Amino acid sequence: MAVKWIYDFSSNDADSIAQGNAFPHLLLGHKGANLAELTSLGLPVPNGFTISTLACNAFYENEKSLNDALRNEILASLKNLEAQTGRNFNSIDKPLFISVRSGAATAMTGLVGSVLNLGMNDKTVEAFANETGDKRFALDSYRRFIQMYGAIILDVDHSDFEDVLDAIKSNKDYTSDTQLNAADWQQVIEKYKALIVEETDEAFPQDTMTQLLGAIEAIYLSWNSVRAKMYRTINNTNETYGAAISVQTMVFGNKDNASAVGTAFTRHPLSGENKLHGEFLENSQGDDASAGIRTSHAISVKGLDEARAKTSYETQMPQAFAQLKNAAIVLEKHFKDLQKIEFVVEAGSFWILQTSSAKRSTSAALKIAVDMVEEGKISKEEAVASIDASSLVELLHPTIAKGVERDILTTGLAASPGAATGKVVFSSRDAEALKAAGEHVILVRTETSPEDIHGMKVAQGVLTQRGGMTSHAAVIARGMGIPCVSGANEMRINLENEELRVAGRTIKKGEVITLDGSLGQVLVGGVEMDHRKLSGAFGVLMSWADDIRRMEVRSNAEMPKDAQLAYSFGAQGIGLCRTEHMFFEGERIVAVREMILATDEEGRRKALAKLLPMQRKDFVELFDIMAGRPVNIRLLDPPLHEFLPNNEVDMDRVATAMGISLAQLKRRAEDLKEVNPMLGLRGCRLAISYPEIAEMQARAIFEAASEVANNSGNLGDIEIMVPLISLRAEYEYVHNIITKIADEVMAETGTVVKYKMGTMIELPRAALRAAELALSADFFSFGTNDLTQTTFGISRDDAPQFLQKYQMKNIIERDPFSQIDEKGVGDLMKIAMERGRQAKPELKFGACGEHAGDPKSIEFFESIGMDYISCSPYRVPIARLAAAQATLKFAK
Amino acid sequence: MAVKWIYDFSSNDADSIAQGNAFPHLLLGHKGANLAELTSLGLPVPNGFTISTLACNAFYENEKSLNDALRNEILASLKNLEAQTGRNFNSIDKPLFISVRSGAATAMTGLVGSVLNLGMNDKTVEAFANETGDKRFALDSYRRFIQMYGAIILDVDHSDFEDVLDAIKSNKDYTSDTQLNAADWQQVIEKYKALIVEETDEAFPQDTMTQLLGAIEAIYLSWNSVRAKMYRTINNTNETYGAAISVQTMVFGNKDNASAVGTAFTRHPLSGENKLHGEFLENSQGDDASAGIRTSHAISVKGLDEARAKTSYETQMPQAFAQLKNAAIVLEKHFKDLQKIEFVVEAGSFWILQTSSAKRSTSAALKIAVDMVEEGKISKEEAVASIDASSLVELLHPTIAKGVERDILTTGLAASPGAATGKVVFSSRDAEALKAAGEHVILVRTETSPEDIHGMKVAQGVLTQRGGMTSHAAVIARGMGIPCVSGANEMRINLENEELRVAGRTIKKGEVITLDGSLGQVLVGGVEMDHRKLSGAFGVLMSWADDIRRMEVRSNAEMPKDAQLAYSFGAQGIGLCRTEHMFFEGERIVAVREMILATDEEGRRKALAKLLPMQRKDFVELFDIMAGRPVNIRLLDPPLHEFLPNNEVDMDRVATAMGISLAQLKRRAEDLKEVNPMLGLRGCRLAISYPEIAEMQARAIFEAASEVANNSGNLGDIEIMVPLISLRAEYEYVHNIITKIADEVMAETGTVVKYKMGTMIELPRAALRAAELALSADFFSFGTNDLTQTTFGISRDDAPQFLQKYQMKNIIERDPFSQIDEKGVGDLMKIAMERGRQAKPELKFGACGEHAGDPKSIEFFESIGMDYISCSPYRVPIARLAAAQATLKFAK
């Protein structure tokens, strides 16, 4: 069977294309597929046909020339079009004019764009003038064609055409194109032709078939233009499908004053309001409106003042408006979504050129989805599925107002979303001091360490020179819900002079900058902000999502502020309370350091005794805030060196508290230093090396639980989690400590506290040995950050320097710390779940890494049957929605 | 069916026990099982029976008392023994005396030992005196019994008995026990009895059944003594089997001058010579010989001078000697091994009390195995299986002479075997200087870095304060074959004063110490050494092993000296050439640093151009040494910071070479620092970030290969290995670089060089994604060190501080960096092999981590079908033997 190169969307082909083909866009490009779909819906679309993407491949296979079969099919399709329209291509008897548009399977840049009015030449334009009785219109259309064809197909500089036109206008003292009469346009045409001869050494083609084939070849060649290839590389769309071309009968928006070109949205794309929105420009063609020569007018009268209502499309062209309104209803019903409609009115007749799902603000998306459910157009499930979960972040954090001019100082990684303005400080001490003086501050550091927690807590945002998406700064900032730009590599900080330098500019301490954590930008000065609005639709949609969702959504939180936020964002409990974060508060860091630096158990116990009441108070507060919802507490986890003092002042304080010399303390601190702290003395290794730490933590937990149970009576499930397990014996050892202390405390208080114990699965060995770990654990919590680190053998802190190069070289698609690596890390998780579940069917599985707030990762977690996910408070709504969407996806 | 508590090894039970039970030692203890086996062989064993280990459990279940059934069975067994011997327990008519010995399934300490002469009391001893006509002998036997029973069963201090005897001897002016006559012994007996009453408040039991049951209970109670439990804990023998007890008719080596006690080896346990070896003492009992009261004599006359031949067992007791000789033949034939025989001669009659496989020196083991094959006693396979592969290390490295007194300064980890003496130095510079002056030096460092390579190369041994079994110092030392003690935690080095301090002692630079790298000891001063001897038997046995072995054995080597050693030790090729080790030689480190610290590609290329000719020369040399055997080269792997200069002098040299300021260089070095270098910019990440490095290395390899192919024509297979792969795209990227350069060089030289490319599997993700990696790789080489690090999430460098605690707390049995963790890391290896082989059945698998030199790990590698292993040169013979043993094991 011969290949079919061309599909006629005006005939029966339309239905078969729209309905019979699962992926019509691969064959016809998204434009061609859309035209077929619109025709199939019975909407008014100018007749035409689409040359499939396969023909583009054939062009390249045929040494960059059109093969005979294709040429013949083009001829036949034109004949067909002539028959459909009763007009004739390359004829002075009712001449046929066409538009030629490129398209591809996915929207892309770099392809040659649209050519309108093709088929015009010296003779057909005269015939057209006679036919329409409007010589000026005909000549204007012709000069537009020459200009477009010259610039786009023949590659003559666009501005050269503008210069010709400007010269004539200035010569005649015209200020607007509308002032040019037929004779003027004739003059323009002659000068355009001369320009083309000059630039291309060839005359503008008068043969219409030459025009058409020339346009087609130019489009095909543009498929491999540098710009197009660059686009495909950057967007990783290694398409094997080429460019499609749609050829369509021209309709003229510039025919007369009953003609127009317009763009309409079926609902307002920013507010979501249910009214036709957009603009139109009468007697115009193509991009005239956006060229700004004349002012365009509104579509619908709704909400307009009298003057603007009068010029609106609804008022000016009521019949065509009615057709648009009808089309909007048909389109929304069909596509179940907000549509953008590009249309032309030719002498009162309404034509659609193209429609597409329209971009919209997140709040509009929510409102539209909820409205459409109430209108019965879509189901609740469809509404929930329609929202981009990640986009909710816009609502949760303040953002820089749209359209504001940005003086970009430098860029880094978009490490924590939202925007913030403040005065630059280079230390936590300065941050606190300035904050105390009522200022907003942005903390700027080479990289942050736990030392900087104080500074981060009072800062509006954080900027670091080093560190990736999961660096200390990034993780903590996301947890706190403050914006962060990390890894701004080009910046250099000079602490002596208290200034930062980048791109030849210097910002001193106290100068104002703005961070856009959603884009990774650092701006000079302050800018206008949009503040978050959680509209009614947000709540409605989230409640539907909660009804649909299978996985439980919890939050990672330990500080009261975070726990409250998590609660208010609908977290069903705490999935990860990182007890170490509680250790940096106020005076307790000194006691923590005492504990770490003690050389014997006695010294450690002395320091732990100071920490016990503080830790107990923390837990009481946490349990109270969560008011009956479960709280999962992880025992002390981080490498101890994170707590080590790293300056003389802090060292001195600790030495004094411990009653030892500064020199002794320094030696001890030196001894504790590790080559690879991420793989060193941390996690359960701490509890095993120094059981007294785990004992103190267990005592604090159970004493707090008793207190809350006895006071409010509203105590949720207590879960205790042992980190960094690789051996069952490790887990058993810590399990025994906890059980012993639990029994002791319950005997002392007389209050029975129910609790569960489980293990983090964050090392490959734990995943592999899941069957034996399952035997004595109630739950597994996947620490996907650490699991990613060890599975890949990549340190989060050190990764940015080479992962960036990896992405540039297409070796890795995305940062595995942002989106779970399904094939590697995910495979290990599946192994752990299979083995764990086989050993103990009732075992509960959770994920509490950064990935638990990422929609794609959440989809994966759903696919493997995770029971719960736990993310930072600000990502809880995103996780709730993404989890619901994942449920819907796999329910199919 | 009632439980059978007791097995009579003198009756038919013997055969059924010896032949019908797969694990008789679990039921009867190793002593009881041995007695049954000897009886079954027809050897002269005094009659008796064994109370099984189950009875001990029953004792504990019965509230620590003997149950009636057992008591009855003991009575019945005694009756049976009386019938067999014609003697009577607790009777003055031919009184029966017995020995009672404890035993367990595996040899252990902490159990109550042997009690001889049980059944003696005031009356039976008199009857015995009458029967033998030797009152002195009877009374001596009785006092021995009271002493043994008193000390062992009744827990009276042993020295109290010695004091009693000494007092009497001194009173009588006796110097030897032989001087005591019957009356004297009677006096001793009375004093002993009085001592027991004094210490225990009870009289010495005259009832022989009370004696026996008391002994049994004491043995049972000793099963749970602190010492026994400690032993089982330390040796991880958590036996559920209790103590077994063997009861046997006494034979008296102290009856007369035709009686004796002796120990004989069927061959010489140190030299392996095929002659009866050992010692005997006439007219003695128990441990008299080792008590040193009289001098014992040799067994066989062979090789003795006339005087010593005259006192030998062979000369003195020719008939009994013939019986021993016969027994030796029977025993060797049966056990197919060198046996140690404990025997008694009673009035000319030869009796065997116990035999066991004897400990021997490694060279003896080799000679005996080879001799026994030649004698037709065992097969070659049995000979190969009989040698402890690890013990070969004794032959390969010098060791401290046996019996030398050791002044132990401190201990650390036995990181690299062998012993070495030298003067202490604290820097590579001093090491080189002293070495140049003709001195032997021991390099002492807090921990070593690649900076120290120079020092290690000239040192006799290395001592470090920090670092584990696979720390830099340990790995390099093993590779170099020099002894190393690492992680000597208690030692402190004071570089300013050039001294080390430990345990209150100070060793200054230039003082002599000795390292025992096989035991992890540091000794003060020099000691006598044994030097390695590779006897003829070694070569013969290794050739048998090579015939049997399935896996190929290669060596990790890159320096000429190491490659030569590997070749001479029988390595079948280089399995891992770590190119980075070549980068520390002489002047090239400066160029390497230039390359690392360059800020752009141009700078790197400039430095690489200097390195190319050096690296090419290295490879030419390596290929020449390996003379046609395959060489597997790994591209640059380590974290770059390992190469960074860390002192001003070195920094200045590099800055000068690069033409930049010291400050600039320092800033750049600071930028390159990583938080977790083991998980940072290393392995293939280097080749991808800086492709020019891989290009230079590939060029050096192929140019060298061309040169060798054209010169000697003796070029082995070239294999190129890409380290630290986690993504297929990484491998493909580097693969393309290598292929491109290979094509270039072959076009330039006109010489075709055959090569293979493969990937290291040393990250969990690589193991999981083996199927896709296999598609473009010729081989997988498991880097088990790194795979262990990432699977466990443990840094080799930082592990010692908590792994030591883990071992103390029984959380982990052994260092997973020494012996492969079969259940975790091994499981991942199995997954990788299954998936890899499924994708590409002809894929070749190798292991090149430290584990490839460990016999237990080699056994595992054989079990999963590894194709080759590659270890450090000094472990090649061990690996060859262990691989053969593994082949035999799994061929069964």
Side-chain angles (χ1 to χ4, degrees), chain A residues 451-671:
Chain A
E451 297 276 306
D452 295 311
I453 291 277
H454 305 291
M456 292 178 77
K457 280 172 102 172
V458 299
Q460 303 300 113
V462 183
L463 167 63
T464 67
Q465 180 191 338
R466 293 193 197 148
M469 289 299 291
T470 49
S471 62
H472 180 265
V475 172
I476 299 298
R478 281 200 291 280
M480 290 180 165
I482 60 171
C484 173
V485 175
S486 70
N489 293 321
E490 291 173 5
M491 177 177 79
R492 286 292 171 280
I493 297 170
N494 185 329
L495 288 178
E496 245 168 277
N497 299 348
E498 300 196 304
E499 63 185 28
L500 67 86
R501 285 186 184 206
V502 58
R505 297 166 80 170
T506 304
I507 304 286
K508 293 208 158 277
K509 184 176 106 174
E511 289 187 43
V512 172
I513 62 171
T514 297
L515 302 182
D516 185 337
S518 308
L519 293 177
Q521 292 177 350
V522 183
L523 314 180
V524 177
V527 294
E528 195 192 329
M529 298 279 184
D530 278 339
H531 287 279
R532 63 177 161 139
K533 286 172 292 186
L534 301 181
S535 72
F538 173 86
V540 172
L541 194 109
M542 290 306 289
S543 76
W544 294 341
D546 288 345
D547 290 343
I548 291 164
R549 173 161 62 82
R550 187 192 60 80
M551 286 189 289
E552 195 179 323
V553 174
R554 298 194 186 180
S555 182
N556 305 343
E558 44 283 321
M559 309 310 288
K561 200 182 76 180
D562 293 336
Q564 273 151 358
L565 196 64
Y567 190 94
S568 74
F569 277 154
Q572 292 169 281
I574 302 283
L576 172 64
C577 164
R578 292 153 293 200
T579 47
E580 56 270 20
H581 288 185
M582 299 162 153
F583 279 12
F584 291 103
E585 287 282 299
E587 275 309 296
R588 60 183 72 176
I589 185 68
V590 179
V592 171
R593 285 171 176 157
E594 250 187 272
M595 170 190 81
I596 294 165
L597 293 161
T599 48
D600 57 16
E601 188 180 327
E602 193 197 330
R604 276 189 298 277
R605 286 202 183 274
K606 202 179 125 215
L608 285 164
K610 296 184 196 169
L611 287 169
L612 175 63
M614 308 182 199
Q615 180 107 90
R616 181 175 52 225
K617 190 171 150 287
D618 292 336
F619 290 134
V620 167
E621 202 166 355
L622 200 58
F623 298 155
D624 277 338
I625 290 169
M626 292 315 292
R629 298 186 189 174
V631 174
N632 185 316
I633 298 162
R634 181 178 71 185
L635 300 179
L636 195 65
D637 178 55
L640 286 185
H641 83 107
E642 281 197 10
F643 296 105
L644 292 181
N646 55 21
N647 62 60
E648 292 261 328
V649 176
D650 286 337
M651 288 218 183
D652 214 39
R653 280 177 78 194
V654 180
T656 307
M658 291 174 70
I660 62 175
S661 75
L662 186 59
Q664 280 176 303
L665 188 89
K666 277 186 180 171
R667 204 155 48 236
R668 174 72 180 147
E670 187 60 31
D671 277 351

Side-chain angles (χ1 to χ4, degrees), chain B residues 251-296:
Chain B
V251 286
F252 293 92
N254 57 340
K255 192 166 195 178
D256 51 28
N257 285 335
S259 302
V261 168
T263 301
F265 296 86
T266 54
R267 296 172 194 243
H268 198 295
L270 288 178
S271 70
E273 195 189 350
N274 188 2
K275 66 160 192 180
L276 281 171
H277 173 81
E279 53 179 24
F280 87 109
L281 186 59
E282 70 286 350
N283 203 349
S284 70
Q285 188 176 49
D287 296 335
D288 285 359
S290 52
I293 298 159
R294 283 174 293 147
T295 309
S296 56

Side-chain angles (χ1 to χ4, degrees), chain A residues 730-773:
Chain A
E730 291 175 320
Y731 179 70
E732 297 294 344
Y733 188 92
V734 183
H735 189 280
N736 290 346
I737 295 175
I738 305 299
T739 310
K740 189 191 76 182
I741 300 291
D743 292 348
E744 272 177 32
V745 175
M746 290 191 226
E748 286 161 22
T749 61
T751 308
V752 173
V753 173
K754 279 193 187 166
Y755 65 101
K756 289 179 177 156
M757 281 194 64
T759 165
M760 296 281 287
I761 302 286
E762 51 189 339
L763 296 175
R765 196 178 192 282
L768 294 165
R769 303 302 299 158
E772 59 174 5
L773 287 176

Side-chain angles (χ1 to χ4, degrees), chain B residues 350-639:
Chain B
F350 175 80
W351 298 96
I352 297 181
L353 295 187
Q354 186 172 342
T355 76
S356 56
S357 281
K359 288 195 177 146
R360 69 211 76 178
S361 71
T362 303
S363 54
L366 289 166
K367 179 168 166 44
I368 290 168
V370 171
D371 284 354
M372 286 178 84
V373 171
E374 283 165 5
E375 294 160 17
K377 286 193 176 141
I378 59 173
S379 67
K380 288 176 183 174
E381 287 73 17
E382 285 168 331
V384 165
S386 76
I387 307 298
D388 172 8
S390 298
S391 73
L392 293 186
V393 89
E394 274 183 32
L395 302 180
L396 307 174
H397 295 283
T399 50
I400 293 176
K402 298 260 150 73
V404 157
E405 200 171 320
R406 292 167 179 237
D407 177 5
I408 297 173
L409 180 65
T410 189
T411 57
L413 299 171
S416 179
T421 295
K423 292 190 171 174
V424 166
V425 289
F426 296 100
S427 74
S428 285
R429 202 158 294 185
D430 286 348
E432 289 174 307
L434 235 67
K435 178 76 180 183
E439 301 279 6
H440 282 180
V441 297
I442 302 287
L443 180 63
V444 182
R445 303 281 291 154
T446 306
E447 56 197 333
T448 64
S449 72
E451 296 278 305
D452 296 310
I453 290 279
H454 304 291
M456 294 177 77
K457 282 174 100 171
V458 299
Q460 304 301 113
V462 183
L463 167 62
T464 68
Q465 180 191 337
R466 293 194 196 146
M469 290 299 292
T470 50
S471 64
H472 180 265
V475 171
I476 299 296
R478 281 201 291 279
M480 290 180 166
I482 58 173
C484 173
V485 174
S486 69
N489 294 320
E490 290 173 4
M491 175 178 79
R492 285 293 172 276
I493 296 170
N494 185 330
L495 288 178
E496 244 169 278
N497 299 350
E498 300 196 304
E499 62 184 31
L500 68 85
R501 285 186 184 207
V502 59
R505 296 167 78 170
T506 303
I507 304 286
K508 293 210 158 275
K509 184 176 108 175
E511 290 187 43
V512 172
I513 63 171
T514 296
L515 301 183
D516 185 339
S518 309
L519 293 177
Q521 292 178 349
V522 183
L523 315 180
V524 176
V527 294
E528 193 192 332
M529 298 280 184
D530 278 339
H531 288 280
R532 63 174 160 138
K533 284 172 293 188
L534 300 183
S535 73
F538 173 85
V540 172
L541 194 110
M542 289 307 288
S543 76
W544 294 342
D546 288 345
D547 290 343
I548 290 164
R549 170 163 65 80
R550 186 192 62 80
M551 285 191 289
E552 195 180 322
V553 174
R554 297 195 188 180
S555 181
N556 305 344
E558 44 282 321
M559 311 310 288
K561 200 183 75 181
D562 294 336
Q564 273 151 359
L565 195 66
Y567 191 94
S568 74
F569 277 155
Q572 294 169 280
I574 302 284
L576 172 63
C577 164
R578 293 153 293 199
T579 48
E580 57 270 20
H581 288 184
M582 298 164 153
F583 279 12
F584 291 102
E585 287 281 300
E587 275 310 296
R588 60 184 72 176
I589 185 69
V590 179
V592 171
R593 285 172 176 158
E594 248 187 272
M595 171 190 79
I596 294 164
L597 293 160
T599 50
D600 55 16
E601 188 181 326
E602 195 196 328
R604 277 189 298 276
R605 288 206 182 271
K606 202 178 126 217
L608 286 164
K610 295 183 197 169
L611 288 169
L612 174 63
M614 309 181 199
Q615 181 108 88
R616 182 175 51 224
K617 190 170 149 289
D618 291 336
F619 289 134
V620 167
E621 203 167 356
L622 200 60
F623 297 156
D624 276 337
I625 291 169
M626 293 315 291
R629 297 186 190 173
V631 175
N632 186 316
I633 299 162
R634 181 177 71 185
L635 300 180
L636 195 66
D637 179 54

Side-chain angles (χ1 to χ4, degrees), chain B residues 105-360:
Chain B
T106 52
M108 60 178 286
T109 60
L111 285 185
V112 155
S114 301
V115 178
L116 305 182
N117 308 351
L118 191 144
M120 291 198 166
N121 60 22
D122 296 350
K123 288 182 179 152
T124 56
V125 78
E126 205 181 313
F128 193 46
N130 292 338
E131 183 188 344
T132 57
D134 188 344
K135 190 167 185 180
R136 187 193 171 278
F137 156 63
L139 288 172
D140 178 21
S141 299
Y142 187 26
R143 72 90 194 173
R144 284 170 188 270
F145 170 53
I146 298 171
Q147 185 170 348
M148 262 186 274
Y149 198 92
I152 294 175
I153 308 298
L154 304 178
D155 216 18
V156 176
D157 199 333
H158 183 77
S159 61
D160 289 351
F161 291 102
E162 293 298 330
D163 290 347
V164 167
L165 184 54
D166 286 347
I168 289 174
K169 278 159 75 178
S170 123
N171 199 24
K172 304 242 170 184
D173 242 4
Y174 293 163
T175 55
S176 161
D177 288 3
T178 53
Q179 294 173 277
L180 277 79
N181 60 24
D184 296 332
W185 285 128
Q186 187 66 51
Q187 194 187 343
V188 170
I189 287 165
E190 297 314 320
K191 296 245 179 198
Y192 277 1
K193 285 185 186 166
L195 173 64
I196 284 170
V197 172
E198 194 180 317
E199 292 290 322
T200 68
D201 285 336
E202 288 191 44
F204 178 78
Q206 289 291 324
D207 175 53
T208 58
M209 201 62 198
T210 304
Q211 291 171 359
L212 176 58
L213 297 178
I216 291 171
E217 286 185 11
I219 290 172
Y220 286 169
L221 288 172
S222 73
W223 178 257
N224 275 332
S225 68
V226 174
R227 243 183 98 212
K229 286 203 283 192
M230 187 77 88
Y231 179 90
R232 293 197 296 268
T233 302
I234 292 169
N235 292 277
N236 212 8
T237 57
N238 280 313
E239 296 180 35
T240 50
Y241 303 92
I245 296 173
S246 293
V247 173
Q248 225 174 344
T249 316
M250 274 306 301
V251 286
F252 293 92
N254 57 340
K255 192 166 195 178
D256 51 28
N257 285 335
S259 302
V261 168
T263 301
F265 296 86
T266 54
R267 296 172 194 243
H268 198 295
L270 288 178
S271 70
E273 195 189 350
N274 188 2
K275 66 160 192 180
L276 281 171
H277 173 81
E279 53 179 24
F280 87 109
L281 186 59
E282 70 286 350
N283 203 349
S284 70
Q285 188 176 49
D287 296 335
D288 285 359
S290 52
I293 298 159
R294 283 174 293 147
T295 309
S296 56
H297 304 293
I299 296 287
S300 151
V301 298
K302 205 166 167 188
L304 299 184
D305 58 30
E306 208 174 324
R308 293 187 62 214
K310 207 172 154 190
T311 62
S312 75
Y313 181 57
E314 187 169 2
T315 310
Q316 291 292 321
M317 301 184 174
Q319 277 181 313
F321 177 80
Q323 279 185 287
L324 172 64
K325 204 167 173 183
N326 175 57
I329 291 165
V330 170
L331 286 167
E332 273 204 353
K333 192 175 166 197
H334 177 71
F335 290 109
K336 299 187 168 188
D337 197 10
L338 163 64
Q339 289 288 300
K340 177 182 172 189
I341 305 166
E342 291 167 46
F343 65 91
V344 170
V345 181
E346 184 189 60
S349 299
F350 175 80
W351 298 96
I352 297 181
L353 295 187
Q354 186 172 342
T355 76
S356 56
S357 281
K359 288 195 177 146
R360 69 211 76 178

